[in-house]
Amino acid sequence: MVDASAGIGLGHRRLAIVDLSPTGEQPMASARGRYVVVFNGEIYNFPALRRELEGRTSFRGASDTEVLLAAVEAWGVEGAVRRFVGMFAFALWDRAERELYLCRDQLGIKPLYYGWSGGTFLFASELKAFRAFPGFAGEIDRDSVTLLLRHNCIPAPRSIYKDVAKLLPGTLLRLRGAADREARPVAFWSAREVAERGVASPFTGTPEEAVRQLDELLGEAVALQMVADVPLGAFLSGGVDSSLVVALMQARSSRPIRTFSIGSTDPMYDEAGHAALVARHLGTEHTTLVVRPEDALAVIPKLSTIPDEPFADSSLIPTFLLSELTREHVTVSLSGDGGDELFAGYNRHVWASRVWDATRRVPMPVRRAGARALTSVRPQTWDRVFGRLDPVLPGALRHRTPGYKMHRLAGLLSADSPETLYHRLASHWTEPDAVVLDAREPATAITDRNARADLPEFADRMMYLDLITYLPDDILTKVDRASMAVSLETRVPLLDHRVVEFAWRLPLSMKLREGQSKWALRQVLYKYVPRALIERPKMGFGVPLGEWLRGPLREWADDLLGEQRLREEGFFDAGVVRRVWAEHLSGRYGWEYHLWDVLMFQVWLAEERRSGTRGTVQDRPIRASV
């Protein structure tokens, strides 16, 4: 759609999920013609909204996009989005008022970028669309590169390019013409308000009542997200979150649902056996792909194009392989993401408060001496020590990479506040602006005191920061990019915003109990799956990165980290990077995650310069240029 008189154009490339007919095509105009929308995602409660709106408008088709437009006509933009349950990023053009609205869902499940190129305002679901615009400069923001090195991703609202931002979750941006550079996003749903209100007015029923209500709420969320006009399945790792989503799906299906998992030839990274046992108990139609090292390594060349910008979470590799497997059979897959952030599922939620309580009264010189003692032992030695002790260790102390975690613990001992401790937990490079040349690390929601929620418990503050940073910027970004790269839609029922609101009302004692995480979620799951199939140490979703960099990826990494290359490109201090690379190769330290941050920037930069010319897409798919 092009409105030449207003100087606006809307384009869209659709992965059709609901209403596959031409009546679902976009850009779509509202019944009265006032609004035009391009929309990425799904409004799950659109059938209920449609029934409410049927007396006000006549519907041409059966899509949720048409319901979105009707809702805006009936209740206004903000009134409509407050009623939406879903994952969405859309651009809405108001022909009457000559105003453009950009909107992103409550939790940031779907991406949306915006910015300026000269006097033109650009907006899209992918940065690839920006690069296709003639004259787009694409100047790299060095300050954002420091954030990549610290967090292995670039947190919103920043992007890899200057003058291009990510729209924050739960916000609306209203633009009155391309010259309106003063427009600022306004929240229609605030995670901070939800967290503070929930903790201030907690659920007062019994634990049994809380579990029953959570079961009902999650069941409703899953049922809504099972609506699709294409084949549907689910990711299944055998852990708490994915097993619960699959159990609730199977309870609502008259036939076996399709479930998918990947295994590994390395037992340290293999959960396929656990997933198969859960699938057998629930009666799903289960498919497992055992990934060989060469299968995973074959994904490496694609890491420059799957994300829109440098992204260094190495679990993107197995996530892509799982998405690729799943897409061979279905078009939509449900996932268990979100449970850790809402129900205290990460190890740090369990032990970070204990570390702080145990160390804050110890004099700083003593803490620093303890840190030196921990790092004096090589990570590989720690791994062997924990390996021998594994049969007698409690589950909370069993980890896949204990050596790495012991070295990380050493960095926490000198923290002067709980927030500093969390910041270090969320960090790879602790001084990234000393590594990136001519750069200064910007403030983020983690370091900005004004952005912090007023929550008395340290564990709650960690979960809140996870919810607004790590979840949308890393986890959801990874899942979206990996799945959409193979045209698979992934839905996350645990992040129905009503589930999020209820989770924040639950007291911390219903999340962490006797050293065990996700207590309330587990109680719901045990209604469907025996406890014995679930209770085991948390494994995560990773690859043996350190071994690969010393082995099959060494030559590849050597080239990307070559001293002359680093100096010519001029983004990193070559001396620092080369020293860290040498220490990793020697086995003295495990710097794989720090190095992966640099390597992922390097492969992205190489692709950026290879594709070079602006104004062409060069065989890169644009999902939704909104």
Side-chain angles (χ1 to χ4, degrees):
M1 187 284 296
V2 175
D3 186 337
S5 64
I8 186 169
L10 301 177
H12 189 265
R13 183 171 179 178
R14 185 184 185 208
L15 173 62
I17 302 297
V18 174
D19 189 356
L20 311 187
S21 74
T23 61
E25 293 177 354
Q26 301 180 41
M28 184 183 291
S30 61
R32 296 181 178 87
R34 174 175 175 177
Y35 300 103
V36 183
V37 73
V38 281
F39 163 43
N40 179 25
E42 305 289 340
I43 307 297
Y44 300 127
N45 63 332
F46 82 94
L49 294 175
R50 180 180 175 125
R51 288 191 293 271
E52 191 174 350
L53 291 162
E54 278 177 341
R56 305 188 185 202
T57 188
S58 58
F59 290 94
R60 304 179 297 275
S63 73
D64 54 341
T65 307
E66 193 173 3
V67 172
L68 181 158
L69 287 163
V72 170
E73 282 195 330
W75 303 312
V77 179
E78 186 168 347
V81 298
R82 288 181 180 276
R83 296 174 184 238
F84 293 162
V85 177
M87 58 177 187
F88 48 87
F90 66 79
L92 181 84
W93 174 239
D94 183 343
R95 286 170 164 162
E97 297 295 329
R98 289 294 195 261
E99 292 179 341
L100 177 72
Y101 291 87
L102 302 183
C103 183
R104 191 178 180 198
D105 64 71
Q106 293 91 337
L107 280 303
I109 301 168
K110 283 297 178 183
L112 185 52
Y113 298 91
Y114 66 96
W116 283 263
S117 178
T120 304
F121 182 74
L122 304 175
F123 45 95
S125 292
E126 291 187 326
L127 286 176
K128 297 177 180 68
F130 285 72
R131 293 194 286 267
F133 183 76
F136 176 66
E139 183 180 354
I140 293 173
D141 186 342
R142 289 173 179 264
D143 293 350
S144 291
V145 179
T146 67
L147 296 176
L148 171 70
L149 263 59
R150 184 177 289 277
H151 299 297
N152 77 242
C153 60
I154 299 174
R158 304 188 76 92
S159 84
I160 190 61
Y161 296 130
K162 290 185 177 180
D163 296 324
V164 177
K166 302 181 183 86
L167 190 65
L168 288 169
T171 64
L172 272 168
L173 177 69
R174 183 172 69 168
L175 199 76
R176 298 179 176 91
D180 187 8
R181 289 180 178 258
E182 301 304 313
R184 296 290 181 268
V186 175
F188 67 87
W189 187 89
S190 168
R192 179 174 179 173
E193 291 178 3
V194 166
E196 291 177 342
R197 185 169 60 245
V199 170
S201 302
F203 180 82
T204 56
T206 65
E208 292 74 20
E209 290 170 338
V211 170
R212 183 174 64 254
Q213 287 193 32
L214 181 60
D215 188 8
E216 293 172 356
L217 192 57
L218 287 172
E220 181 183 347
V222 166
L224 282 178
Q225 297 194 25
M226 290 177 69
V227 175
D229 295 334
V230 293
L232 176 140
F235 297 154
L236 178 60
S237 70
V240 172
D241 304 333
S242 67
S243 297
L244 177 55
V245 169
V246 168
L248 292 170
M249 291 176 70
Q250 191 59 70
R252 285 155 180 79
S253 176
S254 59
R255 63 181 65 182
I257 64 168
R258 299 296 305 267
T259 54
F260 306 90
S261 66
I262 61 172
S264 172
T265 55
D266 185 340
M268 292 290 288
Y269 295 86
D270 184 30
E271 289 188 289
H274 301 295
L277 291 173
V278 173
R280 186 179 305 130
H281 175 81
L282 293 173
T284 73
E285 185 179 341
H286 190 60
T287 303
T288 300
L289 172 68
V290 177
V291 177
R292 301 163 300 170
E294 53 267 34
D295 299 323
L297 293 172
V299 179
I300 300 292
K302 302 176 184 178
L303 297 180
S304 62
T305 55
I306 293 174
D308 285 314
E309 58 188 352
F311 181 78
D313 185 338
S314 60
S315 63
L316 177 63
I317 297 171
T319 304
F320 175 79
L321 291 169
L322 177 60
S323 299
E324 198 172 43
L325 166 69
T326 304
R327 185 61 181 91
E328 293 176 3
H329 304 273
V330 300
T331 310
V332 175
S333 182
L334 271 62
S335 171
D337 294 297
D340 290 321
E341 291 79 7
L342 295 176
F343 295 92
Y346 292 122
N347 291 322
R348 59 178 170 268
H349 299 148
V350 178
W351 57 258
S353 295
R354 298 176 186 172
V355 170
W356 173 247
D357 290 339
T359 61
R360 62 178 175 171
R361 296 181 181 86
V362 178
M364 189 63 73
V366 177
R367 286 196 250 166
R368 288 174 179 153
R372 287 193 296 272
L374 289 174
T375 56
S376 68
V377 179
R378 290 170 38 164
Q380 292 83 355
T381 303
W382 281 120
D383 289 345
R384 288 194 293 270
V385 169
F386 274 80
R388 293 190 185 102
L389 295 175
D390 191 71
V392 298
L393 286 175
L397 294 179
R398 295 179 192 165
H399 302 287
R400 187 172 57 205
T401 54
Y404 169 75
K405 289 179 167 57
M406 291 301 286
H407 277 233
R408 199 165 193 188
L409 174 62
L412 307 180
L413 294 180
S414 59
D416 58 5
S417 70
E419 282 68 30
T420 301
L421 191 151
Y422 177 85
H423 190 219
R424 293 183 181 178
L425 282 170
S427 299
H428 286 184
W429 295 84
T430 55
E431 296 181 0
D433 45 9
V435 184
V436 182
L437 301 175
D438 302 318
R440 183 175 181 179
E441 185 179 4
T444 66
I446 296 175
T447 57
D448 183 357
R449 293 179 180 273
N450 295 324
R452 293 174 183 170
D454 184 13
L455 304 169
E457 294 290 342
F458 182 28
D460 280 328
R461 298 201 297 277
M462 284 191 285
M463 282 189 286
Y464 168 72
L465 290 172
D466 286 341
L467 184 68
I468 66 170
T469 59
Y470 181 61
L471 179 66
D473 297 324
D474 186 321
I475 300 299
L476 296 177
T477 296
K478 172 187 67 180
V479 173
D480 177 78
R481 302 307 191 274
S483 59
M484 292 304 290
V486 295
S487 298
L488 175 74
E489 177 170 289
T490 302
R491 300 175 176 180
V492 279
L494 297 183
L495 292 179
D496 182 311
H497 73 273
R498 299 166 303 172
V499 174
V500 175
E501 291 167 357
F502 182 74
W504 275 107
R505 291 185 58 220
L506 292 180
L508 191 57
S509 62
M510 292 188 189
K511 300 172 184 178
L512 292 175
R513 181 168 293 200
E514 297 177 353
Q516 187 178 61
S517 64
K518 296 194 280 198
W519 182 84
L521 271 190
R522 291 175 188 272
Q523 306 319 301
V524 176
L525 177 58
Y526 297 153
K527 294 182 178 182
Y528 304 92
V529 178
R531 184 185 301 254
L533 293 183
I534 299 299
E535 295 298 339
R536 63 182 188 276
K538 187 177 180 65
M539 182 174 284
F541 201 40
V543 293
L545 200 56
E547 298 172 23
W548 285 359
L549 289 175
R550 294 188 187 98
L553 291 181
R554 178 170 178 169
E555 184 177 348
W556 168 81
D558 255 332
D559 178 55
L560 290 168
L561 302 179
E563 184 170 1
Q564 183 177 351
R565 178 173 184 161
L566 292 171
R567 293 189 188 282
E568 289 176 352
E569 291 169 344
F571 284 97
F572 300 112
D573 184 319
V576 173
V577 174
R578 293 293 299 175
R579 174 180 57 78
V580 171
W581 178 227
E583 289 179 351
H584 181 78
L585 290 177
S586 72
R588 182 73 180 83
Y589 293 101
W591 292 117
E592 57 266 35
Y593 299 110
H594 299 68
L595 291 164
W596 199 249
D597 298 334
V598 178
L599 287 164
M600 288 301 97
F601 177 83
Q602 290 293 91
V603 297
W604 177 87
L605 180 65
E607 174 64 17
E608 180 83 348
R609 292 184 171 178
R610 186 197 67 79
S611 56
T613 55
R614 305 296 174 188
T616 59
V617 179
Q618 299 200 355
D619 298 326
R620 296 174 178 179
I622 299 175
R623 290 196 303 271
S625 299
V626 295

